[in-house]
Amino acid sequence: MSTSSHPLSRRSFGRLAAVSAAAVGTTALGACGPGGGRPSANTPLRIMAINHVWSQAVKRRLGEFEELVGRRVSMTLLTADQLASSYNVKLNASGSDVDVMMVRALQEQTLFAHNGWLVDLTDRVEGDAEFDWSDFQKAPRAASATKGQVLSVPVVTERPVLYYRKDLAADLGGVPRTLDALMAASLEAADRGRGRYGFVGRGQRSGAVSQWSSFLYSYGGDFVVDGASGIGSREALAAYAYYGRLLGRTGPPGSTNMSLEQAMPIFAQGKAAFYIDADAIYSSFLDPKVATRQVRESVGFAPFPAGPAGARPHNIPSWSLGINQFSLLRDDAWQFIRWAAGVEQSRTLQEAGIPGARASVWSDPRSLRKFPAELAEAMRVNARRGLGYDRPRVLQVGRARDIIGRPLVAGILGEPVAPAARDADAEFADFLVRDNRHKES
């Protein structure tokens, strides 16, 4: 699922890289066989990945790939923060001791591309008929390219879904199909004095931006319009005001401090009628250790509601695979990607409840059996309508999200949105000028 992260850059991690360069270099040299740095047959293919259900499932199947490629594979699973720190240390030092990299295409790929850390996969994905790059969903496929180069292959995708209480929605006019209907039902359901909320969602300044993006798009706005800031537009102002009122008037107290980890349990414990967040977390509401019996028995799933511009949710690659520019095993690294992201593995993993990126797999009923039928349909609808990004494509994503999130907080707190949006728009405009200048340097 989408998370915020500190921006990564050469300067910000310069000291750490300098301290670690010698150690990394030694490891890299140790990985190379004789013959001027060429790896030997005993050199393992090294994969670094997020500790995620997708990675865990793939790791259990590595024997199959090792037999296929004839090389031992070493796969390291880390938290998102550990993974980001490791990449900065290793790649700043041009380390070759990682071959396949699991990356967030929307959070760090633009920076990695600017630093020259990822192999251009365009010829490989487009020239491999069996791999069939055209089979990947359009939005995640587009998000995998930076400046016309395909730098990663999506393996895990996510979209926002409307979670709702069936037992409550029946008395609130049914399942909200529009944002106006969601507002009306949430206002009617809220009884904040008794700890009952109409809507719960992310309200934290930076963390809320990726989910608010679908509200922005559905109001006809965007983060960047014609290369300039779009968050001061009439459409963005309306999206800010709507979300602020929805969460501020019908949500729990302290919403401005809530990201996924704080918002999700409120719905799971039956304290809210509606909740919009990533479809990847659906199993939490079916888990007796997380959700109450009432929620488990009554939770429903619906597509993102339509706004003035229609329903325009995001459909993003939350995790993708790329190849380290400094890898000495690029061909084997590509073989791993085409195996792990191939049709067969994609279907197997999606049958286990892990949403992938291949359109053919999504159209196969067998691959959807793990998901509740209503959720599977909502995911398909959102994927068809979805845009391939939930944040601006900039070098310093964390800083951009922090700026964009300021008017969200103002709206939730009941403060005037227009002045906050005007200030944020000016700051984001300046940020984009500097960001574009840095991209070109």
Side-chain angles (χ1 to χ4, degrees):
M1 65 206 79
S2 301
T3 55
S4 62
S5 176
H6 296 294
L8 313 175
S9 69
R10 292 182 184 273
R11 285 192 294 271
S12 63
F13 281 84
R15 293 181 181 178
L16 182 60
V19 170
S20 304
V24 172
T26 300
T27 304
L29 289 172
C32 303
R38 293 182 180 178
S40 71
N42 295 323
T43 302
L45 182 73
R46 291 179 169 87
I47 302 165
M48 291 187 68
I50 182 72
N51 189 8
H52 182 280
V53 288
W54 182 91
S55 315
Q56 295 163 4
V58 168
K59 191 170 186 177
R60 291 192 293 269
R61 295 173 171 83
L62 282 180
E64 174 187 331
F65 175 73
E66 289 176 325
E67 185 175 343
L68 178 69
V69 79
R71 184 179 296 278
R72 184 166 59 89
V73 177
S74 172
M75 190 172 189
T76 302
L77 305 185
L78 300 170
T79 68
D81 287 344
Q82 290 171 335
L83 197 62
S85 296
S86 295
Y87 286 156
N88 274 276
V89 172
K90 294 177 182 294
L91 302 177
N92 268 305
S94 303
S96 61
D97 58 334
V98 55
D99 303 297
V100 180
M101 301 163 56
M102 200 166 181
V103 298
R104 294 168 293 185
L106 298 172
Q107 186 71 24
E108 54 211 8
Q109 181 170 299
T110 300
L111 177 67
F112 285 12
H114 177 75
N115 290 344
W117 289 345
L118 291 170
V119 170
D120 180 3
L121 302 176
T122 308
D123 289 344
R124 292 184 187 267
V125 298
E126 294 182 353
D128 190 332
E130 184 179 350
F131 185 67
D132 193 5
W133 184 231
S134 64
D135 183 39
F136 286 77
Q137 294 175 336
K138 182 178 179 180
R141 190 172 73 235
S144 302
T146 300
K147 291 187 175 180
Q149 295 183 337
V150 177
L151 300 180
S152 63
V153 172
V155 290
V156 184
T157 60
E158 71 174 50
R159 296 134 295 271
V161 68
L162 173 63
Y163 298 99
Y164 69 96
R165 289 270 302 277
K166 293 180 179 178
D167 54 332
L168 299 179
D171 297 325
L172 296 170
V175 181
R177 300 299 180 185
T178 67
L179 291 179
D180 284 345
L182 175 62
M183 179 69 79
S186 297
L187 287 167
E188 184 177 348
D191 188 347
R192 301 177 76 184
R194 297 185 178 183
R196 300 172 186 169
Y197 310 112
F199 178 85
V200 65
R202 304 187 197 187
Q204 185 202 45
R205 180 167 162 173
S206 176
V209 169
S210 59
Q211 293 303 315
W212 176 72
S213 65
S214 293
F215 292 83
L216 174 65
Y217 307 150
S218 297
Y219 264 89
D222 208 332
F223 297 113
V224 179
V225 179
D226 296 330
S229 171
I231 64 172
S233 68
R234 177 171 51 85
E235 294 82 3
L237 283 172
Y240 277 129
Y242 175 91
Y243 196 77
R245 183 173 182 236
L246 180 65
L247 201 49
R249 291 277 302 276
T250 81
S255 289
T256 56
N257 295 317
M258 291 184 180
S259 193
L260 169 68
E261 293 77 10
Q262 295 76 37
M264 186 268 286
I266 291 176
F267 184 83
Q269 293 303 306
K271 297 178 181 179
F274 303 102
Y275 175 43
I276 289 179
D277 213 302
D279 52 22
I281 66 170
Y282 79 93
S283 60
S284 297
F285 306 123
L286 306 175
D287 185 349
K289 296 178 182 178
V290 178
T292 66
R293 179 178 179 180
Q294 186 178 40
V295 170
R296 297 197 308 273
E297 293 178 351
S298 67
V299 63
F301 314 92
F304 189 85
R312 303 188 71 209
H314 59 259
N315 177 31
I316 65 165
S318 48
W319 288 100
S320 304
L321 298 177
I323 299 177
N324 176 16
Q325 180 68 38
F326 311 111
S327 169
L328 302 174
L329 292 170
R330 292 188 184 184
D331 288 341
D332 285 350
W334 166 245
Q335 288 304 317
F336 175 81
I337 292 176
R338 73 189 303 274
W339 171 78
V343 173
E344 183 177 345
Q345 285 296 330
S346 296
R347 180 179 294 113
T348 298
L349 294 169
Q350 193 154 305
E351 285 177 357
I354 305 168
R358 283 190 175 269
S360 61
V361 173
W362 276 102
S363 63
D364 184 346
R366 293 174 298 171
S367 73
L368 301 174
R369 288 178 296 188
K370 182 74 172 181
F371 305 106
E374 189 182 38
L375 173 63
E377 180 60 21
M379 294 165 89
R380 275 198 299 255
V381 170
N382 285 334
R384 185 172 67 248
R385 298 169 174 170
L387 282 71
Y389 56 98
D390 62 353
R391 66 204 77 182
R393 304 294 297 272
V394 295
L395 293 174
Q396 292 186 310
V397 178
R399 177 60 183 147
R401 290 173 67 154
D402 197 49
I403 296 170
I404 293 165
R406 190 182 308 137
L408 280 175
V409 172
I412 295 167
L413 294 175
E415 300 171 356
V417 167
R422 184 170 56 247
D423 291 345
D425 182 53
E427 186 175 358
F428 191 48
D430 289 341
F431 168 90
L432 288 174
V433 170
R434 294 192 303 272
D435 191 78
N436 289 332
R437 186 183 301 131
H438 188 47
K439 284 179 183 176
E440 295 168 359
S441 63

